[in-house]
Amino acid sequence: MDISGLLFVLHMFLSGLFASDASCPEAVNLELGVDGIIYCFYEDYQLIHWSVTGDNDAFIVLQNNVKSGPGFISGEYDLSSNGSLIIRNVTQHYERQYSIGIVTNRDQELLSDVTVRIFIRPIPEYPVMNGLADRQNQLLKVERLWDMDCAMETIRPAISLEWVIADGFPPNNLRINNDTTTSDHGDGTFSIHLRSHFKIEDPFVRSLTISCVVIGPDVLSSKTSADVLFPAVSSDPSLDPVSSEPVPATDCRYLIQPDVDDRTLRPMMVLLAIIFVFVPLTFGLLVYQVFRTRKCSCGGVPVPAGGQDNHGYDESEINGLPPPILGGTSDVSDTNTDTSASDSNTVPNTGVGVGGRT
């Protein structure tokens, strides 16, 4: 036999091996109330048929691209071209084992069984820790001996709940006593409650991260986590005894309380108020005063009210008013000037302003 013949035989062997062993899963989880699919993959076939295991009558058949069978006619089932079975509107009635039969183009018959399990998602879809259904991540402030609980309501199938401590925390520093209760509601759903007592052996441990984890089908995998904070202790552990009575966990929401009391916090707030309020206000007043002083000066020299400056300029001239004309009519008179002077001392009206400027 040549190389091509060997390759052909190997191809046929592998095709039959994978077609019979890996074309359909052994079990699937389908959600209640929606369409479910048992995914398979077959090709190079003449006929595919599905039946309930133990029943010789097929409820749906696919042959030469033509579908038939009572399940197909009623609309309860459908088939895809690769052999995947579609179940319309899944109910608990479909939680059973199915068999698929294949006749290949080489007249090889293949059989496979698939177990269908029905699941129901709880609301919320994660464990509820300490009754706080609106949060999947929590921050708790507790004593060193405390209680916590975790629950999931109306779920199918019945799962388990476990506490998982974050990596790196020594397991011998924490003691846990668990009490688990499973309630069957009679409609195919269950409620699971996990109540536990915790105790920290090491008095100097300040915090840990703990999660309530679902143990069950992958489609229901979830967890709720909490960062747990413990009170500070004195340098002498004997002065900080652990209470013998467990204390319920207190939810801190998202507030982490620092080790700062009000006596330290209030002076800090006053200092911040001085820095960000009074300092800018004082600076603004100083800038305003300087600006006002510059506006009321000429060349940087203030003008005395009602008189002349040191250079002999009249206040009215500086303020933009026309200077008084000697010899003309003016409402401004100098009380220190002798108005009875003779005509010979009269200065001609030359347009020269006060102070003798030209």
Side-chain angles (χ1 to χ4, degrees):
M1 184 181 294
D2 56 8
I3 297 296
S4 60
L6 289 174
L7 292 176
F8 177 77
V9 172
L10 180 62
H11 170 74
M12 295 295 292
F13 172 77
L14 293 176
S15 298
L17 177 65
F18 286 105
S20 59
D21 294 341
S23 294
C24 282
E26 294 183 356
V28 295
N29 295 286
L30 303 182
E31 186 172 4
L32 184 73
V34 298
D35 292 351
I37 302 178
I38 302 176
Y39 288 99
C40 300
F41 184 78
Y42 290 101
E43 55 185 3
D44 188 28
Y45 60 84
Q46 303 177 32
L47 180 144
I48 295 178
H49 63 84
W50 281 87
S51 62
V52 177
T53 302
D55 189 350
N56 294 326
D57 296 330
F59 55 78
I60 191 168
V61 178
L62 175 62
Q63 185 175 17
N64 298 324
N65 294 325
V66 177
K67 302 174 186 177
S68 61
F72 174 73
I73 295 173
S74 66
E76 186 178 1
Y77 297 95
D78 198 357
L79 263 177
S80 64
S81 60
N82 60 5
S84 297
L85 179 64
I86 303 170
I87 303 176
R88 304 296 185 188
N89 191 21
V90 174
T91 65
Q92 297 181 30
H93 168 72
Y94 299 101
E95 190 169 66
R96 53 194 177 187
Q97 190 177 61
Y98 293 88
S99 297
I100 179 174
I102 305 293
V103 178
T104 68
N105 289 333
R106 298 181 299 275
D107 295 328
Q108 181 183 10
E109 294 186 6
L110 306 175
L111 293 175
S112 181
D113 294 332
V114 181
T115 300
V116 173
R117 303 187 183 98
I118 307 302
F119 72 90
I120 299 175
R121 299 184 188 274
I123 299 176
E125 296 184 10
Y126 50 83
V128 176
M129 186 184 296
N130 302 318
L132 303 174
D134 59 336
R135 269 166 289 164
Q136 197 172 0
N137 295 282
Q138 302 179 17
L139 177 64
L140 306 175
K141 183 178 181 180
V142 303
E143 298 298 327
R144 297 183 178 273
L145 183 65
W146 79 100
D147 288 343
M148 288 178 63
D149 62 84
C150 184
M152 293 199 82
E153 303 284 349
T154 60
I155 189 173
R156 179 187 178 92
I159 49 87
S160 299
L161 296 173
E162 292 185 2
W163 298 109
V164 176
I165 311 301
D167 293 340
F169 188 85
N172 57 343
N173 282 345
L174 180 65
R175 288 168 50 188
I176 307 176
N177 294 323
N178 295 325
D179 180 19
T180 302
T181 302
T182 301
S183 302
D184 187 347
H185 298 296
D187 59 355
T189 62
F190 303 86
S191 292
I192 296 88
H193 292 262
L194 173 62
R195 299 176 180 87
S196 304
H197 303 288
F198 296 83
K199 182 180 179 180
I200 289 291
E201 297 290 349
D202 189 346
F204 295 101
V205 174
R206 293 299 307 275
S207 65
L208 65 84
T209 299
I210 187 169
S211 301
C212 181
V213 180
V214 174
I215 307 299
D218 291 341
V219 291
L220 296 175
S221 296
S222 62
K223 68 177 182 178
T224 297
S225 301
D227 292 324
V228 183
L229 308 180
F230 305 104
V233 298
S234 59
S235 58
D236 185 357
S238 63
L239 301 179
D240 188 66
V242 177
S243 172
S244 60
E245 294 296 328
V247 179
T250 302
D251 175 46
C252 298
R253 295 183 179 269
Y254 298 99
L255 174 64
I256 298 179
Q257 299 179 355
D259 296 331
V260 180
D261 57 17
D262 290 342
R263 292 173 297 178
T264 305
L265 187 60
R266 289 174 182 173
M268 292 174 59
M269 295 177 64
V270 172
L271 180 60
L272 291 175
I274 293 175
I275 294 175
F276 292 103
V277 178
F278 294 102
V279 171
L281 182 61
T282 303
F283 180 75
L285 291 175
L286 290 175
V287 171
Y288 173 76
Q289 187 65 29
V290 171
F291 177 76
R292 184 179 179 185
T293 302
R294 291 175 58 88
K295 185 177 180 181
C296 296
S297 64
C298 178
V301 181
V303 179
Q308 296 180 342
D309 66 0
N310 295 331
H311 299 282
Y313 296 103
D314 189 88
E315 178 184 5
S316 60
E317 182 181 2
I318 294 174
N319 291 334
L321 298 176
I325 305 302
L326 296 180
T329 302
S330 174
D331 292 336
V332 181
S333 62
D334 188 352
T335 56
N336 296 324
T337 305
D338 188 2
T339 56
S340 61
S342 62
D343 295 339
S344 59
N345 294 327
T346 301
V347 179
N349 187 0
T350 60
V352 179
V354 176
R357 290 192 305 167
T358 59

